[in-house]
Amino acid sequence: MTRLFDRFVQDMQLRNFSESTIRSYTYALKQLAAHFDKAPELINEQEIKAYFLYNRNVKHWSRAAFSVSISAIKFFFEKTLQKQWHVFGLVRPPRDKSLPEILRLKEVNKIFSCIKM
């Protein structure tokens, strides 16, 4: 994995990725390889799908951890290995939807009382 791993890092450097992004991406790729106990280039598309299902359903990864891992693994397979797989379009978690905070009537009145006309 050493030469391929070096090529992965060089591909990120050529695209001007920050050092922290490179560290995060290499860590994510190492996690994938450790999960299957084999070199990442030997992992197939179905295994990647199973990996993300496991991390979602068993490990309960946060959206941020999921996104970094997906981005790193997608970059490795699409840019370094030149493989185009459909699984990367399926596994991206949706954005969190949150409602805006609702002010109480007393709070709204206090805001309006501060306005001078």
Side-chain angles (χ1 to χ4, degrees):
M1 182 170 117
T2 308
R3 284 194 315 174
L4 191 57
F5 187 79
D6 290 343
R7 199 169 92 210
F8 175 56
V9 171
Q10 290 169 357
D11 287 344
M12 290 186 284
Q13 290 171 337
L14 287 171
R15 286 169 177 80
N16 206 26
F17 283 24
S18 72
E19 287 302 314
S20 64
T21 300
I22 293 171
R23 276 193 305 275
S24 296
Y25 278 28
T26 53
Y27 178 73
L29 192 63
K30 287 177 183 179
Q31 279 186 307
L32 176 71
H35 179 80
F36 289 105
D37 195 28
K38 61 181 174 180
E41 66 270 17
L42 301 176
I43 297 170
N44 65 42
E45 191 171 10
Q46 291 304 317
E47 289 172 317
I48 289 175
K49 186 175 181 180
Y51 176 71
F52 285 114
L53 282 170
Y54 171 78
N55 287 318
R56 180 191 178 279
N57 296 330
V58 176
K59 294 186 98 178
H60 304 288
W61 274 7
S62 68
R63 183 184 189 284
F66 225 90
S67 291
V68 169
S69 186
I70 291 168
S71 297
I73 294 167
K74 179 179 179 182
F75 184 90
F76 175 74
F77 281 95
E78 290 185 351
K79 303 300 183 195
T80 304
L81 294 183
Q82 303 285 312
K83 293 182 180 181
Q84 300 296 320
W85 285 348
H86 297 288
V87 70
F88 296 117
L90 301 174
V91 296
R92 182 113 8 223
R95 292 189 187 270
D96 295 330
K97 295 178 184 176
S98 61
L99 295 173
E101 186 177 325
I102 299 175
L103 300 175
R104 286 182 247 133
L105 184 58
K106 195 176 194 179
E107 294 169 317
V108 172
N109 286 334
K110 186 174 180 181
I111 291 171
F112 284 137
S113 70
C114 294
I115 299 174
K116 295 182 181 178
M117 293 189 170

